Amino acid sequence: MTLVGPSAPTGDILVGSLPVQSPREAVPNRVMTWNICNPCDASNVDRAAEIAAQAPQVIGLQEACVRDVERIRAYLKGLYGLDYHVTYGTVLHNRGRCGGWPWSPGGFGQAILSAAPMSDRVTAEYPDGGSEDRGYVAVTTTVGGRPVRVFNTHFAQRRQEAIRADQAAVLAAEVARHDRAVVLGDFNAVPDAPELAPVQALAADADPGCRPAAAGSCEATTDWASKFDYVFLRGITPLGHRVRPTPLSDHHLLRADLAVTR
């Protein structure tokens, strides 16, 4: 029997076979969200290079196989000196997507990587995931020297507006319990979509041009020129953001630099 799916090791290279870069440190108060695309034909060493170029303190990954994330972490540490803790929000186990054996298929869902330790992990599946199981993972970590609740989620696919509205209500109820929160994820909806209103009422988009009532341009985060990926902030001030297109996924990397003052 052989591993199948995108987590099979054929596309990856051993860390020891690559030149080690100068050690780096995570950029304080920088967070990032990225739907790494699954199934996609992308190597984890290339994914690690994309992340290392931004060196965020906190990373939310969606459509992530556990085995892929473990390899990405190994490359980040071995090649760039970036050492991340990890926690998973697995919503399904699927051998076709994530490899593994029939009796132990790979875990698929969300992952949070943090340069600082994480605690109080909560994972939940939404009551209705739509065409595929969906959920969120939440942890408490340190950003700007203060404890911050970090959420990472993936909402139902397009043309499932009513299901996303229910998911947003579930997520917003949890976000509302915290004075400081960072909400990362692929919400599969543009900024003025009504289903995002429960989350937007509690937390502001790190990109001011993407807020529903804002004037100005909103930078797309997908290959089809839509904004689907978000960094929402509650009790935290954005200092800047950047969208970085990448050939490794149909979603772009979105990073934000933050000021945590209260």
Side-chain angles (χ1 to χ4, degrees):
M1 301 184 71
T2 59
L3 290 174
V4 297
S7 292
T10 53
D12 284 345
I13 306 171
L14 294 177
V15 173
S17 67
L18 295 173
V20 178
Q21 308 295 318
S22 299
R24 305 181 189 177
E25 293 185 0
V27 178
N29 307 340
R30 176 172 292 175
V31 301
M32 188 187 91
T33 184
W34 188 20
N35 182 324
I36 60 176
C37 184
N38 184 294
C40 279
D41 185 19
S43 79
N44 292 314
V45 70
D46 290 339
R47 288 167 169 161
E50 290 278 11
I51 293 170
Q54 310 302 315
Q57 183 182 357
V58 177
I59 308 160
L61 299 178
Q62 303 89 43
E63 296 194 17
C65 293
V66 171
R67 290 179 177 87
D68 286 333
V69 175
E70 288 304 311
R71 292 187 178 109
I72 290 168
R73 287 180 67 217
Y75 292 132
L76 286 168
K77 183 175 182 179
L79 296 177
Y80 305 101
L82 291 165
D83 193 5
Y84 289 101
H85 304 267
V86 65
T87 190
Y88 295 99
T90 297
V91 294
L92 61 88
H93 294 271
N94 188 295
R95 189 164 66 99
R97 274 189 183 269
C98 293
W101 303 104
W103 57 88
S104 182
F108 175 80
Q110 288 72 248
I112 296 176
L113 282 65
S114 174
M118 295 177 278
S119 62
D120 303 321
R121 169 181 173 268
V122 170
T123 63
E125 290 190 35
Y126 293 120
D128 187 352
S131 56
E132 182 177 79
D133 293 347
R134 295 289 162 91
Y136 69 85
V137 57
V139 300
T140 297
T141 189
T142 303
V143 179
R146 307 296 298 273
V148 172
R149 194 67 172 167
V150 177
F151 295 82
N152 183 20
T153 192
H154 191 185
F155 278 9
Q157 295 172 347
R158 288 175 288 180
R159 296 179 295 277
Q160 300 180 79
E161 292 86 353
I163 294 173
R164 287 198 299 274
D166 291 342
Q167 293 170 349
V170 170
L171 181 62
E174 293 302 313
V175 174
R177 299 174 57 236
H178 303 277
D179 293 331
R180 288 187 300 273
V182 175
V183 186
L184 309 170
D186 173 4
F187 288 76
N188 270 313
V190 294
D192 59 355
E195 62 264 30
L196 294 187
V199 176
Q200 292 167 328
L202 295 167
D205 196 318
D207 180 352
C210 292
R211 297 168 191 171
S217 61
C218 178
E219 198 166 358
T221 65
T222 65
D223 287 352
W224 52 93
S226 293
K227 158 87 168 183
F228 276 9
D229 305 272
Y230 294 84
V231 175
F232 288 118
L233 304 174
R234 177 172 169 83
I236 299 172
T237 302
L239 296 178
H241 72 281
R242 181 184 178 189
V243 175
R244 177 183 169 89
T246 169
L248 304 178
S249 173
D250 53 358
H251 287 253
H252 308 334
L253 288 79
L254 170 61
R255 84 172 198 216
D257 294 313
L258 316 177
V260 182
T261 57
R262 66 174 189 173

